[in-house]
Amino acid sequence: MKKLIGLVALCIAIGMLVMLFMTNRFVGLILIILLLLVGYNFFCCN
């Protein structure tokens, strides 16, 4: 469980760093939706 929490914290930090340098909010929104779908498929689906 600690490794999963660490992975989540690292991914959030990387995402915040990427969004800090992006100027276009629409591209950021599309990227967030895409990564949420990928994460859902990896962790919740068989």
Side-chain angles (χ1 to χ4, degrees), residues 3-27:
K3 286 186 179 183
L4 182 62
I5 293 172
L7 178 66
V8 169
L10 181 66
C11 290
I12 289 172
I14 290 172
M16 291 174 86
L17 185 64
V18 167
M19 290 303 293
L20 181 66
F21 294 113
M22 290 185 81
T23 57
N24 191 353
R25 296 218 184 254
F26 180 71
V27 174

Side-chain angles (χ1 to χ4, degrees), residues 14-45:
I14 290 172
M16 291 174 86
L17 185 64
V18 167
M19 290 303 293
L20 181 66
F21 294 113
M22 290 185 81
T23 57
N24 191 353
R25 296 218 184 254
F26 180 71
V27 174
L29 185 64
I30 296 298
L31 184 65
I32 289 168
I33 292 170
L34 178 70
L35 290 174
L36 281 172
L37 288 173
V38 168
Y40 176 76
N41 284 329
F42 280 169
F43 285 107
C44 297
C45 295

